[in-house]
Amino acid sequence: MKYYLTGFMGSGKSTYGAALASEMGYEFHDLDKAIEQSSGKTITELFAIKGGEEGFRKLESDALRTTAALPDNTVIACGGGTPFHTDTLDCMTAEGKIIFLKLVDG
């Protein structure tokens, strides 16, 4: 089973995702890192080059679809806005389980 970690920026998706994958003996995949590596640009640069959020979310949606080819034993850290655009939420629920990380004050 694949696990998709979602949550606001800074909620620990990458940090906790890597730890969870290690603990479970799963692979770990960071969607933002994969986008940066494939494009050779940072997320900030891609927002500027692609005309803002809408253009970046298209790249993100395309990258998310490639996770279908990953093994079932994978934890995937998604960008903070991944589940809120186009059909990405449907893609994640079709491929695995979604875990939302919430920051708690205090």
Side-chain angles (χ1 to χ4, degrees):
M1 165 137 339
K2 291 179 184 132
Y3 292 95
Y4 291 89
L5 299 186
T6 65
F8 292 106
M9 182 174 30
S11 63
K13 298 177 297 287
S14 296
T15 301
Y16 292 117
L20 177 63
S22 177
E23 182 70 25
M24 296 173 66
Y26 274 35
E27 293 185 22
F28 177 67
H29 184 81
D30 187 308
L31 198 61
D32 281 347
K33 296 277 187 240
I35 292 168
E36 288 179 336
Q37 287 175 349
S38 68
S39 69
K41 307 276 186 222
T42 67
I43 299 300
T44 303
E45 290 170 329
L46 289 169
F47 262 79
I49 293 167
K50 296 296 180 180
E53 186 168 356
E54 185 177 331
F56 173 74
R57 296 299 173 200
K58 171 71 171 109
L59 284 177
E60 185 178 56
S61 178
D62 292 344
L64 181 70
R65 280 186 202 29
T66 68
T67 65
L70 295 174
D72 282 341
N73 60 335
T74 304
V75 174
I76 301 148
C78 298
T82 304
F84 303 110
H85 296 87
T86 63
D87 60 347
T88 52
L89 186 61
D90 291 340
C91 179
M92 288 187 284
T93 56
E95 290 294 321
K97 299 288 184 189
I98 300 170
I99 298 170
F100 178 76
L101 299 181
K102 180 180 178 183
L103 291 169
V104 178
D105 232 2

